[in-house]
Amino acid sequence: HGCRFVDVPHSRAEAERAVALAVEGEVEILVQGSQRTDEFLRAVIAPHGLRSARRISHVQYIDVQNYPRPLFITDTLVNIEPSLEDKVDIVQNAIDFAHLMGVPEPKVALLAAIEVVTPKMRATTDAALLCKMADRGQITGAVVEGPLALDNAVSIISARAHGLSSVVAGQADVLVAPDIESANMLAKQLEHLSDAVSG
């Protein structure tokens, strides 16, 4: 379709006009460019913006040189300390995005520091509950497992050493971090220390 450039007086108005064009079906994708994230997202989540019934979240597509498939990391940008209810939408959004990117049944790893469920660590209890919700059809279109530490989510050798045997362990497609800080640090570490390419 080519690109359509919007000429408006300032960046906030730019974002608002771009979102209006998307709502009207005039454009299919929005590109943030050099605009500040808060200005861009404010227009997206405004009452007449692009909100839907599901919570908005961010998924980062990242290609790591020594990993055999692309990774989808969520949520590195929008949800700061997501509740369990928020995480249901965050996980489903990531699954749906993976489908759009050609992964028919993504393997989703719900990350935590350990694999054992303990009430002392909310990431582990949230992961256990999300897995049960996936079992009951409240999250669909993927194999969901957790809690998993990062090493056991992406390394079959590490997963086997920890006695983990599953479809997801060691071969995750989607990494769901417990909060924005851990997701953001994970993505930036891969970009800057592993020469990963992301978008």
Side-chain angles (χ1 to χ4, degrees):
H1 294 303
C3 294
R4 180 169 178 176
F5 294 95
V6 179
D7 186 21
V8 289
H10 51 79
S11 59
R12 190 179 74 237
E14 236 172 47
E16 290 168 358
R17 181 68 183 126
V19 168
L21 289 170
V23 170
E24 294 163 11
E26 294 291 319
V27 297
E28 294 178 345
I29 190 167
L30 298 177
V31 178
Q32 178 182 347
S34 61
Q35 185 173 42
R36 285 189 3 225
T37 300
D38 61 325
E39 283 186 343
F40 181 72
L41 287 177
R42 189 174 294 119
V44 170
I45 65 172
H48 300 292
L50 296 171
R51 280 187 178 190
S52 67
R54 202 183 291 166
R55 185 172 187 84
I56 290 175
S57 60
H58 179 265
V59 182
Q60 186 157 346
Y61 177 95
I62 191 160
D63 191 357
V64 183
Q65 288 182 13
N66 61 348
Y67 196 66
R69 66 189 62 81
L71 283 168
F72 302 87
I73 302 174
T74 193
D75 175 344
T76 65
L77 190 65
V78 178
N79 296 283
I80 297 170
E81 291 182 357
S83 66
L84 176 64
E85 187 177 15
D86 297 338
K87 288 179 182 179
V88 173
D89 287 348
I90 289 167
V91 172
Q92 192 66 63
N93 289 343
I95 292 167
D96 292 351
F97 182 63
H99 290 167
L100 288 171
M101 297 300 290
V103 183
E105 191 178 36
K107 299 171 189 74
V108 178
L110 305 168
L111 299 180
I114 57 174
E115 290 74 31
V116 178
V117 179
T118 172
K120 294 179 181 179
M121 298 176 77
R122 185 179 145 217
T124 69
T125 56
D126 281 359
L129 291 166
L130 290 164
C131 286
K132 182 50 73 177
M133 293 170 92
D135 290 346
R136 300 283 168 89
Q138 292 170 270
I139 298 170
T140 60
V143 179
V144 181
E145 186 173 330
L148 285 173
L150 177 64
D151 56 340
N152 295 321
V154 298
S155 167
I156 291 175
I157 294 169
S158 181
R160 287 181 182 153
H162 284 88
L164 299 171
S165 176
S166 78
V167 175
V168 176
Q171 46 197 345
D173 299 299
V174 177
L175 302 176
V176 180
D179 56 40
I180 197 170
E181 293 183 28
S182 53
N184 193 281
M185 286 187 273
L186 171 59
K188 286 180 177 172
Q189 172 197 331
L190 290 172
E191 285 179 317
H192 296 282
L193 297 178
S194 302
D195 293 326
V197 178
S198 71

